[in-house]
Amino acid sequence: MVSPILKWAGGKRQLLDELYSRFPNSYAHYHEPFFGGGALFFDLEPSNGSINDTNDRLINFYEHVRDRPEELIDTLRSFDDPESDPDPDRRFSDTNRKGKEIKNYYYQQRELFNNRPYDDDYDELEEAALLLYLNRTCYNGLYRENSSGGFNVPIGRYSNPDWVRAEEIRKASHVLEDTEIRNTGFEYILEVAEEDDLVYFDPPYEPMSPTAYFTDYSAEGFGKEDQEQLRDVAQKLDERGVNVILSNSGVMYEMYDEAGFYVEVEGATRAINSDAENRDEVDEVIATNVPPKERRRAGQQGLADF
Ligand SMILES: C[S@@+](CC[C@H](N)C(=O)[O-])C[C@H]1O[C@@H](n2cnc3c(N)ncnc32)[C@H](O)[C@@H]1O
């Protein structure tokens, strides 16, 4: 069991038991087309298969975790405390691109991250390190972009921020060793998933009640048409004999019920708000084509693990 390296909106750590209880007794390869922080993947530690996300900086990060873990760790070690002064030897030590004063190292790092590509200076390894650094030192530890794609979260208040995470990177690198990493839309799964594989879909969705009006729904640009396209892809996988498990907003209950999936409502608390009082119980559904009698028993390891 490896901890996710990044904190990511919609992370599924609280849902792990629910997801495992829908797993088939055995499967061949494991795929996660909406990877984000990969909570289930890292907990499961699959030995092969594929992961994917449309966020190119996120995927650049995981490629470096897999292929260049020691260089990534060394780069992270070279970074300073977020509250310290900007590094005078690097760009944006006084002002950002818009001429606004930069007061500390955190905002210099954020500006470097947002200045992709940094003219001649652009370096994918550094970008990967900056993503983790910002994730570990920003307010609330979340990744958020403004409409023009800039990471815009302010500095967080941590007494002792740990942005290196050397052991987590090494372990994650080992788990990712034989995993194919893609940076495209979720439909790629139709190219790679084979009979008896297992696919876990966790698309972007907003907390809402199952009675909310369906056409109002849209999260992170993932709207009604994307949801319908995802359902079509899930059905094609089902016809191919691929095991499918999907978590989604409660409003998607009927769509998957009508498509012949087993759908159950779960009340899950989602780690988006730092303020505990705002953490509403949210109706989520888990849909799967794995019949109850073919699911592994609670606590039982998949055959692939022996
Ligand atoms: C709910 S998050 C996944 C969270 C993840 N399960 C975890 O534990 O952290 C959804 C992810 O889907 C990605 N995404 C959005 N649209 C996508 C698309 N069309 N195809 C693939 N990934 C997409 C987002 O960048 C985001 O990282």
Side-chain angles (χ1 to χ4, degrees):
M1 190 190 6
V2 180
S3 311
I5 315 178
L6 297 170
K7 193 173 170 198
W8 208 251
K12 285 298 171 307
R13 292 192 82 173
Q14 318 91 314
L15 220 57
L16 292 181
D17 287 344
E18 298 290 348
L19 296 170
Y20 281 136
S21 69
R22 272 91 176 166
F23 267 44
N25 275 316
S26 67
Y27 52 88
H29 310 102
Y30 175 81
H31 308 276
E32 218 176 294
F34 297 91
F35 194 64
L40 180 55
F41 176 92
F42 286 119
D43 192 76
L44 182 65
E45 296 189 45
S47 50
N48 51 39
S50 73
I51 63 169
N52 172 71
D53 201 286
T54 43
N55 185 322
D56 51 357
R57 299 203 273 198
L58 179 72
I59 289 304
N60 175 61
F61 172 73
Y62 288 118
E63 284 172 345
H64 282 80
V65 169
R66 183 189 60 187
D67 302 333
R68 300 169 69 185
E70 295 307 322
E71 289 167 89
L72 184 61
I73 292 165
D74 287 347
T75 308
L76 285 157
R77 287 204 167 118
S78 75
F79 291 162
D80 290 336
D81 188 89
E83 306 224 29
S84 59
D85 291 337
D87 180 346
D89 296 331
R90 301 179 69 212
R91 303 184 67 189
F92 307 113
S93 53
D94 298 319
T95 56
N96 68 13
R97 275 165 302 171
K98 293 178 180 157
K100 196 171 159 227
E101 187 187 359
I102 282 191
K103 295 199 183 95
N104 57 31
Y105 190 77
Y106 173 86
Y107 288 101
Q108 182 181 31
Q109 294 283 75
R110 194 178 80 170
E111 196 64 12
L112 287 165
F113 182 72
N114 282 333
N115 198 43
R116 181 190 206 210
Y118 326 132
D119 303 331
D120 300 338
D121 239 0
Y122 178 57
D123 174 352
E124 290 182 343
L125 171 67
E126 183 179 77
E127 184 181 70
L130 285 170
L131 176 66
L132 179 54
Y133 179 86
L134 294 169
N135 188 256
R136 299 294 296 179
T137 58
C138 75
Y139 180 76
N140 209 11
L142 286 176
Y143 187 90
R144 188 186 67 207
E145 291 180 352
N146 59 26
S147 55
S148 46
F151 176 80
N152 65 357
V153 183
I155 188 168
R157 297 273 165 246
Y158 301 92
S159 51
N160 197 8
D162 163 25
W163 59 84
V164 180
R165 311 209 81 200
E167 280 321 300
E168 286 87 350
I169 290 173
R170 290 192 182 111
K171 283 185 196 159
S173 182
H174 182 63
V175 180
L176 285 164
E177 216 164 50
D178 293 315
T179 299
E180 185 181 340
I181 303 182
R182 298 258 191 141
N183 179 206
T184 183
F186 63 86
E187 301 85 351
Y188 87 97
I189 196 66
L190 292 173
E191 290 166 33
V192 300
E194 297 169 358
E195 187 177 355
D196 293 333
D197 282 1
L198 171 60
V199 178
Y200 169 48
F201 289 116
D202 184 25
Y205 57 92
E206 280 160 8
M208 53 172 32
S209 84
T211 52
Y213 187 49
F214 179 73
T215 49
D216 281 344
Y217 175 78
S218 160
E220 293 172 44
F222 201 86
K224 185 180 179 207
E225 280 179 18
D226 300 291
Q227 288 285 0
E228 287 170 350
Q229 170 82 359
L230 176 58
R231 186 254 342 256
D232 293 348
V233 167
Q235 277 186 308
K236 283 187 189 142
L237 294 175
D238 176 50
E239 285 159 19
R240 201 184 281 182
V242 176
N243 300 289
V244 176
I245 300 176
L246 170 139
S247 39
N248 213 322
S249 165
V251 282
M252 300 302 158
Y253 188 103
E254 274 185 10
M255 188 193 259
Y256 284 90
D257 191 45
E258 284 167 10
F261 285 79
Y262 302 90
V263 195
E264 279 124 358
V265 178
E266 297 304 331
T269 310
R270 293 163 61 78
I272 285 181
N273 269 302
S274 58
D275 176 359
E277 292 192 358
N278 285 339
R279 287 182 182 166
D280 298 331
E281 286 290 306
V282 161
D283 276 317
E284 304 193 87
V285 293
I286 300 180
T288 182
N289 63 347
V290 181
K293 63 181 188 324
E294 290 173 27
R295 294 179 196 169
R296 73 191 202 186
R297 292 192 308 277
Q300 182 195 352
Q301 300 287 304
L303 292 180
D305 300 333
F306 288 98

